[in-house]
Amino acid sequence: MQAPSRFSRGDMACALSVIVIWGLNFVVMKLGLQTLSPMVLGALRFMAASLPFIAFIRPPQMPWRYVVAYGLAQGLGQFGFLFLGLRLGMTAGMASVVMQTQAFFTLLLAVAFLGERARAMQWAGLAMALSGLVIIAAGHGEGALQMTLAGFVLTLCAAFMWAVSNLVVRKAAQAAPGYAPLPFVVWSSLVPIIPFWLLACLQDGPQEVARQLASLDIKAALAVLYLALLATLLAYSLWTRLLQRHTAGKVTPYSLLVPVIGLVAALLVLGEHPSPLQWWGTAAVLCGMVINQSQGLMQTLGGAFRRSMP
């Protein structure tokens, strides 16, 4: 089926819903980590995203190595590093910015392992974003509501693992064109559950894990449900639906709004105030993303301008 040339109102609603869900995601993680340790939060998140649904959602029609690889990279790798980074001092607002560097890690990995070619503007955007990351790292601190260097490095590791999972998705799409995204994300969410529980017992000890589960409060429970049902199942399915209906160049520029939502939410809910250096670094990273996605962004803006014309 040929992809529609225009975003319908429904498509726009889907895109904006995903942006808001993913933008608020980082604040929700911070709130959940006030009660739960990183590995326990990871285990509960992926249990809630998989176990209630596997009884009536069939396994994805693709080789299982892609399901397992995605579950380890995106589940255990991305969110294991991210939750640990947030617990060790990464602020929610800066996490929403730094995680977007997955686009640049994906570019580098695709060039190295998939033989893809990058445009000159993409390399320029990568250089700009790298300078922004250096500036953000220079603005780390050790006080309350300050980004720590350890948290920053762990969040970069999470962005890299997100990029690895993107490559797994590309390989899976080649092996099983047109696969249904919901079964894929549900069944791959089974993979990191046991590793998360093992790491939780090793890191916290079985007695501490049991104590956290016994004292689970409504805030932590709602955080788990938000991360599992909204940020994982709903947002991923809506985003994949958009990518199936439209070119990536029309869809991906909307992701530029995720850090904006993340920074505003962190300011309003958690009282985070990035330092001047972090604001300058954030601006450089976002400029790098705009340059990197300049072709798709121009298509999106051009389409919006044409729709506004009488």
Side-chain angles (χ1 to χ4, degrees), residues 277-307:
L277 273 179
Q278 291 171 352
W279 280 120
W280 281 109
T282 297
V285 170
L286 294 180
C287 285
M289 292 175 62
V290 170
I291 294 171
N292 178 264
Q293 300 185 18
S294 57
Q295 183 176 355
L297 187 61
M298 291 304 296
Q299 291 176 351
T300 301
L301 293 175
F305 176 76
R306 287 192 295 271
R307 288 194 299 273

PDB file of all heavy atoms in Angstrom, residues 277-307:
ATOM      1  N   LEU A 277      25.768  26.098  31.407  1.00  0.00           N
ATOM      2  CA  LEU A 277      26.505  25.229  30.485  1.00  0.00           C
ATOM      3  C   LEU A 277      25.600  24.142  29.913  1.00  0.00           C
ATOM      4  O   LEU A 277      25.675  23.808  28.727  1.00  0.00           O
ATOM      5  CB  LEU A 277      27.691  24.579  31.211  1.00  0.00           C
ATOM      6  CG  LEU A 277      29.013  25.350  31.252  1.00  0.00           C
ATOM      7  CD1 LEU A 277      30.059  24.559  32.021  1.00  0.00           C
ATOM      8  CD2 LEU A 277      29.510  25.642  29.830  1.00  0.00           C
ATOM      9  N   GLN A 278      24.734  23.579  30.743  1.00  0.00           N
ATOM     10  CA  GLN A 278      23.834  22.526  30.264  1.00  0.00           C
ATOM     11  C   GLN A 278      22.816  23.064  29.260  1.00  0.00           C
ATOM     12  O   GLN A 278      22.461  22.380  28.298  1.00  0.00           O
ATOM     13  CB  GLN A 278      23.131  21.874  31.456  1.00  0.00           C
ATOM     14  CG  GLN A 278      24.073  21.049  32.319  1.00  0.00           C
ATOM     15  CD  GLN A 278      23.430  20.580  33.606  1.00  0.00           C
ATOM     16  OE1 GLN A 278      22.308  20.977  33.948  1.00  0.00           O
ATOM     17  NE2 GLN A 278      24.136  19.750  34.362  1.00  0.00           N
ATOM     18  N   TRP A 279      22.369  24.312  29.465  1.00  0.00           N
ATOM     19  CA  TRP A 279      21.466  24.910  28.470  1.00  0.00           C
ATOM     20  C   TRP A 279      22.185  25.100  27.139  1.00  0.00           C
ATOM     21  O   TRP A 279      21.624  24.818  26.075  1.00  0.00           O
ATOM     22  CB  TRP A 279      20.938  26.252  28.974  1.00  0.00           C
ATOM     23  CG  TRP A 279      19.799  26.168  29.949  1.00  0.00           C
ATOM     24  CD1 TRP A 279      19.773  26.631  31.227  1.00  0.00           C
ATOM     25  CD2 TRP A 279      18.509  25.576  29.717  1.00  0.00           C
ATOM     26  NE1 TRP A 279      18.559  26.367  31.815  1.00  0.00           N
ATOM     27  CE2 TRP A 279      17.756  25.727  30.916  1.00  0.00           C
ATOM     28  CE3 TRP A 279      17.927  24.934  28.630  1.00  0.00           C
ATOM     29  CZ2 TRP A 279      16.452  25.259  31.032  1.00  0.00           C
ATOM     30  CZ3 TRP A 279      16.618  24.468  28.746  1.00  0.00           C
ATOM     31  CH2 TRP A 279      15.897  24.630  29.939  1.00  0.00           C
ATOM     32  N   TRP A 280      23.434  25.583  27.176  1.00  0.00           N
ATOM     33  CA  TRP A 280      24.199  25.746  25.941  1.00  0.00           C
ATOM     34  C   TRP A 280      24.445  24.393  25.278  1.00  0.00           C
ATOM     35  O   TRP A 280      24.330  24.265  24.045  1.00  0.00           O
ATOM     36  CB  TRP A 280      25.533  26.447  26.227  1.00  0.00           C
ATOM     37  CG  TRP A 280      25.420  27.928  26.386  1.00  0.00           C
ATOM     38  CD1 TRP A 280      25.550  28.646  27.538  1.00  0.00           C
ATOM     39  CD2 TRP A 280      25.138  28.883  25.351  1.00  0.00           C
ATOM     40  NE1 TRP A 280      25.364  29.980  27.309  1.00  0.00           N
ATOM     41  CE2 TRP A 280      25.112  30.165  25.971  1.00  0.00           C
ATOM     42  CE3 TRP A 280      24.903  28.798  23.979  1.00  0.00           C
ATOM     43  CZ2 TRP A 280      24.867  31.333  25.255  1.00  0.00           C
ATOM     44  CZ3 TRP A 280      24.660  29.962  23.263  1.00  0.00           C
ATOM     45  CH2 TRP A 280      24.635  31.210  23.896  1.00  0.00           C
ATOM     46  N   GLY A 281      24.778  23.392  26.073  1.00  0.00           N
ATOM     47  CA  GLY A 281      24.988  22.064  25.509  1.00  0.00           C
ATOM     48  C   GLY A 281      23.718  21.481  24.922  1.00  0.00           C
ATOM     49  O   GLY A 281      23.738  20.847  23.856  1.00  0.00           O
ATOM     50  N   THR A 282      22.593  21.706  25.611  1.00  0.00           N
ATOM     51  CA  THR A 282      21.304  21.238  25.089  1.00  0.00           C
ATOM     52  C   THR A 282      20.993  21.889  23.741  1.00  0.00           C
ATOM     53  O   THR A 282      20.546  21.219  22.801  1.00  0.00           O
ATOM     54  CB  THR A 282      20.187  21.559  26.093  1.00  0.00           C
ATOM     55  OG1 THR A 282      20.429  20.842  27.305  1.00  0.00           O
ATOM     56  CG2 THR A 282      18.822  21.177  25.537  1.00  0.00           C
ATOM     57  N   ALA A 283      21.240  23.188  23.647  1.00  0.00           N
ATOM     58  CA  ALA A 283      21.005  23.892  22.382  1.00  0.00           C
ATOM     59  C   ALA A 283      21.866  23.315  21.268  1.00  0.00           C
ATOM     60  O   ALA A 283      21.394  23.141  20.129  1.00  0.00           O
ATOM     61  CB  ALA A 283      21.292  25.384  22.561  1.00  0.00           C
ATOM     62  N   ALA A 284      23.127  22.984  21.590  1.00  0.00           N
ATOM     63  CA  ALA A 284      24.006  22.418  20.569  1.00  0.00           C
ATOM     64  C   ALA A 284      23.539  21.031  20.133  1.00  0.00           C
ATOM     65  O   ALA A 284      23.558  20.705  18.938  1.00  0.00           O
ATOM     66  CB  ALA A 284      25.444  22.356  21.098  1.00  0.00           C
ATOM     67  N   VAL A 285      23.104  20.197  21.098  1.00  0.00           N
ATOM     68  CA  VAL A 285      22.608  18.866  20.747  1.00  0.00           C
ATOM     69  C   VAL A 285      21.362  18.967  19.872  1.00  0.00           C
ATOM     70  O   VAL A 285      21.229  18.270  18.852  1.00  0.00           O
ATOM     71  CB  VAL A 285      22.304  18.043  22.020  1.00  0.00           C
ATOM     72  CG1 VAL A 285      21.559  16.757  21.670  1.00  0.00           C
ATOM     73  CG2 VAL A 285      23.595  17.706  22.755  1.00  0.00           C
ATOM     74  N   LEU A 286      20.421  19.850  20.256  1.00  0.00           N
ATOM     75  CA  LEU A 286      19.195  20.003  19.466  1.00  0.00           C
ATOM     76  C   LEU A 286      19.494  20.562  18.080  1.00  0.00           C
ATOM     77  O   LEU A 286      18.876  20.147  17.091  1.00  0.00           O
ATOM     78  CB  LEU A 286      18.203  20.892  20.212  1.00  0.00           C
ATOM     79  CG  LEU A 286      17.641  20.311  21.519  1.00  0.00           C
ATOM     80  CD1 LEU A 286      16.678  21.295  22.166  1.00  0.00           C
ATOM     81  CD2 LEU A 286      16.945  18.982  21.262  1.00  0.00           C
ATOM     82  N   CYS A 287      20.440  21.497  17.989  1.00  0.00           N
ATOM     83  CA  CYS A 287      20.835  22.008  16.670  1.00  0.00           C
ATOM     84  C   CYS A 287      21.436  20.894  15.819  1.00  0.00           C
ATOM     85  O   CYS A 287      21.185  20.805  14.613  1.00  0.00           O
ATOM     86  CB  CYS A 287      21.838  23.150  16.821  1.00  0.00           C
ATOM     87  SG  CYS A 287      21.113  24.715  17.352  1.00  0.00           S
ATOM     88  N   GLY A 288      22.239  20.056  16.468  1.00  0.00           N
ATOM     89  CA  GLY A 288      22.801  18.918  15.743  1.00  0.00           C
ATOM     90  C   GLY A 288      21.730  17.986  15.223  1.00  0.00           C
ATOM     91  O   GLY A 288      21.810  17.472  14.100  1.00  0.00           O
ATOM     92  N   MET A 289      20.679  17.764  16.033  1.00  0.00           N
ATOM     93  CA  MET A 289      19.581  16.911  15.592  1.00  0.00           C
ATOM     94  C   MET A 289      18.827  17.540  14.430  1.00  0.00           C
ATOM     95  O   MET A 289      18.414  16.855  13.484  1.00  0.00           O
ATOM     96  CB  MET A 289      18.642  16.635  16.757  1.00  0.00           C
ATOM     97  CG  MET A 289      19.246  15.779  17.851  1.00  0.00           C
ATOM     98  SD  MET A 289      18.141  15.606  19.269  1.00  0.00           S
ATOM     99  CE  MET A 289      16.756  14.767  18.491  1.00  0.00           C
ATOM    100  N   VAL A 290      18.623  18.863  14.490  1.00  0.00           N
ATOM    101  CA  VAL A 290      17.937  19.555  13.395  1.00  0.00           C
ATOM    102  C   VAL A 290      18.749  19.434  12.108  1.00  0.00           C
ATOM    103  O   VAL A 290      18.208  19.154  11.029  1.00  0.00           O
ATOM    104  CB  VAL A 290      17.708  21.036  13.756  1.00  0.00           C
ATOM    105  CG1 VAL A 290      17.225  21.814  12.533  1.00  0.00           C
ATOM    106  CG2 VAL A 290      16.694  21.162  14.881  1.00  0.00           C
ATOM    107  N   ILE A 291      20.055  19.623  12.218  1.00  0.00           N
ATOM    108  CA  ILE A 291      20.918  19.492  11.034  1.00  0.00           C
ATOM    109  C   ILE A 291      20.884  18.065  10.508  1.00  0.00           C
ATOM    110  O   ILE A 291      20.772  17.826   9.302  1.00  0.00           O
ATOM    111  CB  ILE A 291      22.358  19.907  11.385  1.00  0.00           C
ATOM    112  CG1 ILE A 291      22.422  21.398  11.707  1.00  0.00           C
ATOM    113  CG2 ILE A 291      23.324  19.580  10.234  1.00  0.00           C
ATOM    114  CD1 ILE A 291      23.753  21.846  12.268  1.00  0.00           C
ATOM    115  N   ASN A 292      20.955  17.106  11.424  1.00  0.00           N
ATOM    116  CA  ASN A 292      20.946  15.695  11.036  1.00  0.00           C
ATOM    117  C   ASN A 292      19.669  15.313  10.296  1.00  0.00           C
ATOM    118  O   ASN A 292      19.688  14.524   9.345  1.00  0.00           O
ATOM    119  CB  ASN A 292      21.120  14.824  12.274  1.00  0.00           C
ATOM    120  CG  ASN A 292      21.072  13.347  11.971  1.00  0.00           C
ATOM    121  OD1 ASN A 292      20.025  12.713  12.094  1.00  0.00           O
ATOM    122  ND2 ASN A 292      22.195  12.791  11.566  1.00  0.00           N
ATOM    123  N   GLN A 293      18.543  15.880  10.749  1.00  0.00           N
ATOM    124  CA  GLN A 293      17.247  15.532  10.162  1.00  0.00           C
ATOM    125  C   GLN A 293      16.724  16.656   9.272  1.00  0.00           C
ATOM    126  O   GLN A 293      15.526  16.784   9.072  1.00  0.00           O
ATOM    127  CB  GLN A 293      16.243  15.243  11.281  1.00  0.00           C
ATOM    128  CG  GLN A 293      16.660  14.093  12.175  1.00  0.00           C
ATOM    129  CD  GLN A 293      15.601  13.734  13.196  1.00  0.00           C
ATOM    130  OE1 GLN A 293      14.433  14.083  13.066  1.00  0.00           O
ATOM    131  NE2 GLN A 293      15.997  13.001  14.232  1.00  0.00           N
ATOM    132  N   SER A 294      17.628  17.451   8.721  1.00  0.00           N
ATOM    133  CA  SER A 294      17.223  18.649   7.986  1.00  0.00           C
ATOM    134  C   SER A 294      16.324  18.333   6.800  1.00  0.00           C
ATOM    135  O   SER A 294      15.341  19.029   6.549  1.00  0.00           O
ATOM    136  CB  SER A 294      18.457  19.417   7.507  1.00  0.00           C
ATOM    137  OG  SER A 294      19.294  18.589   6.712  1.00  0.00           O
ATOM    138  N   GLN A 295      16.622  17.266   6.076  1.00  0.00           N
ATOM    139  CA  GLN A 295      15.802  16.941   4.905  1.00  0.00           C
ATOM    140  C   GLN A 295      14.378  16.588   5.314  1.00  0.00           C
ATOM    141  O   GLN A 295      13.405  17.115   4.774  1.00  0.00           O
ATOM    142  CB  GLN A 295      16.421  15.782   4.130  1.00  0.00           C
ATOM    143  CG  GLN A 295      15.657  15.424   2.860  1.00  0.00           C
ATOM    144  CD  GLN A 295      16.351  14.326   2.056  1.00  0.00           C
ATOM    145  OE1 GLN A 295      17.450  13.890   2.386  1.00  0.00           O
ATOM    146  NE2 GLN A 295      15.701  13.884   0.992  1.00  0.00           N
ATOM    147  N   GLY A 296      14.242  15.694   6.321  1.00  0.00           N
ATOM    148  CA  GLY A 296      12.903  15.332   6.772  1.00  0.00           C
ATOM    149  C   GLY A 296      12.192  16.493   7.418  1.00  0.00           C
ATOM    150  O   GLY A 296      10.977  16.660   7.273  1.00  0.00           O
ATOM    151  N   LEU A 297      12.939  17.341   8.147  1.00  0.00           N
ATOM    152  CA  LEU A 297      12.320  18.488   8.803  1.00  0.00           C
ATOM    153  C   LEU A 297      11.777  19.465   7.782  1.00  0.00           C
ATOM    154  O   LEU A 297      10.678  20.014   7.942  1.00  0.00           O
ATOM    155  CB  LEU A 297      13.347  19.166   9.709  1.00  0.00           C
ATOM    156  CG  LEU A 297      12.839  20.292  10.606  1.00  0.00           C
ATOM    157  CD1 LEU A 297      11.782  19.761  11.555  1.00  0.00           C
ATOM    158  CD2 LEU A 297      13.991  20.908  11.386  1.00  0.00           C
ATOM    159  N   MET A 298      12.516  19.704   6.709  1.00  0.00           N
ATOM    160  CA  MET A 298      12.038  20.608   5.671  1.00  0.00           C
ATOM    161  C   MET A 298      10.788  20.051   4.995  1.00  0.00           C
ATOM    162  O   MET A 298       9.867  20.789   4.666  1.00  0.00           O
ATOM    163  CB  MET A 298      13.141  20.849   4.643  1.00  0.00           C
ATOM    164  CG  MET A 298      14.324  21.659   5.184  1.00  0.00           C
ATOM    165  SD  MET A 298      13.831  23.260   5.880  1.00  0.00           S
ATOM    166  CE  MET A 298      13.186  24.074   4.415  1.00  0.00           C
ATOM    167  N   GLN A 299      10.746  18.711   4.807  1.00  0.00           N
ATOM    168  CA  GLN A 299       9.540  18.102   4.235  1.00  0.00           C
ATOM    169  C   GLN A 299       8.343  18.297   5.154  1.00  0.00           C
ATOM    170  O   GLN A 299       7.239  18.619   4.705  1.00  0.00           O
ATOM    171  CB  GLN A 299       9.784  16.607   3.997  1.00  0.00           C
ATOM    172  CG  GLN A 299      10.788  16.302   2.892  1.00  0.00           C
ATOM    173  CD  GLN A 299      11.063  14.809   2.778  1.00  0.00           C
ATOM    174  OE1 GLN A 299      10.635  14.011   3.618  1.00  0.00           O
ATOM    175  NE2 GLN A 299      11.775  14.429   1.741  1.00  0.00           N
ATOM    176  N   THR A 300       8.567  18.113   6.450  1.00  0.00           N
ATOM    177  CA  THR A 300       7.474  18.271   7.416  1.00  0.00           C
ATOM    178  C   THR A 300       6.971  19.704   7.465  1.00  0.00           C
ATOM    179  O   THR A 300       5.762  19.967   7.431  1.00  0.00           O
ATOM    180  CB  THR A 300       7.946  17.837   8.810  1.00  0.00           C
ATOM    181  OG1 THR A 300       8.365  16.468   8.748  1.00  0.00           O
ATOM    182  CG2 THR A 300       6.828  17.970   9.827  1.00  0.00           C
ATOM    183  N   LEU A 301       7.903  20.665   7.542  1.00  0.00           N
ATOM    184  CA  LEU A 301       7.515  22.078   7.581  1.00  0.00           C
ATOM    185  C   LEU A 301       6.845  22.501   6.281  1.00  0.00           C
ATOM    186  O   LEU A 301       5.872  23.264   6.289  1.00  0.00           O
ATOM    187  CB  LEU A 301       8.739  22.949   7.852  1.00  0.00           C
ATOM    188  CG  LEU A 301       9.371  22.801   9.245  1.00  0.00           C
ATOM    189  CD1 LEU A 301      10.644  23.627   9.345  1.00  0.00           C
ATOM    190  CD2 LEU A 301       8.394  23.201  10.334  1.00  0.00           C
ATOM    191  N   GLY A 302       7.370  21.994   5.180  1.00  0.00           N
ATOM    192  CA  GLY A 302       6.756  22.331   3.891  1.00  0.00           C
ATOM    193  C   GLY A 302       5.341  21.811   3.781  1.00  0.00           C
ATOM    194  O   GLY A 302       4.436  22.501   3.300  1.00  0.00           O
ATOM    195  N   GLY A 303       5.126  20.573   4.278  1.00  0.00           N
ATOM    196  CA  GLY A 303       3.778  20.008   4.255  1.00  0.00           C
ATOM    197  C   GLY A 303       2.824  20.811   5.140  1.00  0.00           C
ATOM    198  O   GLY A 303       1.684  21.053   4.780  1.00  0.00           O
ATOM    199  N   ALA A 304       3.313  21.217   6.334  1.00  0.00           N
ATOM    200  CA  ALA A 304       2.472  22.006   7.229  1.00  0.00           C
ATOM    201  C   ALA A 304       2.140  23.364   6.611  1.00  0.00           C
ATOM    202  O   ALA A 304       1.010  23.859   6.732  1.00  0.00           O
ATOM    203  CB  ALA A 304       3.183  22.206   8.574  1.00  0.00           C
ATOM    204  N   PHE A 305       3.105  23.967   5.914  1.00  0.00           N
ATOM    205  CA  PHE A 305       2.843  25.257   5.274  1.00  0.00           C
ATOM    206  C   PHE A 305       1.813  25.135   4.141  1.00  0.00           C
ATOM    207  O   PHE A 305       0.899  25.942   4.031  1.00  0.00           O
ATOM    208  CB  PHE A 305       4.160  25.813   4.704  1.00  0.00           C
ATOM    209  CG  PHE A 305       3.986  27.104   3.934  1.00  0.00           C
ATOM    210  CD1 PHE A 305       3.779  28.305   4.595  1.00  0.00           C
ATOM    211  CD2 PHE A 305       4.019  27.114   2.543  1.00  0.00           C
ATOM    212  CE1 PHE A 305       3.614  29.497   3.895  1.00  0.00           C
ATOM    213  CE2 PHE A 305       3.859  28.293   1.833  1.00  0.00           C
ATOM    214  CZ  PHE A 305       3.659  29.491   2.506  1.00  0.00           C
ATOM    215  N   ARG A 306       1.946  24.062   3.359  1.00  0.00           N
ATOM    216  CA  ARG A 306       0.980  23.865   2.262  1.00  0.00           C
ATOM    217  C   ARG A 306      -0.424  23.625   2.800  1.00  0.00           C
ATOM    218  O   ARG A 306      -1.395  24.105   2.229  1.00  0.00           O
ATOM    219  CB  ARG A 306       1.417  22.682   1.398  1.00  0.00           C
ATOM    220  CG  ARG A 306       2.629  22.985   0.514  1.00  0.00           C
ATOM    221  CD  ARG A 306       2.841  21.906  -0.513  1.00  0.00           C
ATOM    222  NE  ARG A 306       3.175  20.629   0.096  1.00  0.00           N
ATOM    223  CZ  ARG A 306       4.403  20.232   0.389  1.00  0.00           C
ATOM    224  NH1 ARG A 306       5.426  21.045   0.136  1.00  0.00           N
ATOM    225  NH2 ARG A 306       4.632  19.058   0.921  1.00  0.00           N
ATOM    226  N   ARG A 307      -0.536  22.903   3.920  1.00  0.00           N
ATOM    227  CA  ARG A 307      -1.866  22.656   4.482  1.00  0.00           C
ATOM    228  C   ARG A 307      -2.500  23.920   5.030  1.00  0.00           C
ATOM    229  O   ARG A 307      -3.712  24.059   5.101  1.00  0.00           O
ATOM    230  CB  ARG A 307      -1.776  21.594   5.587  1.00  0.00           C
ATOM    231  CG  ARG A 307      -1.515  20.203   5.065  1.00  0.00           C
ATOM    232  CD  ARG A 307      -1.781  19.169   6.146  1.00  0.00           C
ATOM    233  NE  ARG A 307      -0.917  19.338   7.301  1.00  0.00           N
ATOM    234  CZ  ARG A 307       0.288  18.806   7.414  1.00  0.00           C
ATOM    235  NH1 ARG A 307       0.771  18.075   6.425  1.00  0.00           N
ATOM    236  NH2 ARG A 307       1.011  18.991   8.503  1.00  0.00           N
TER     237      ARG A 307
END
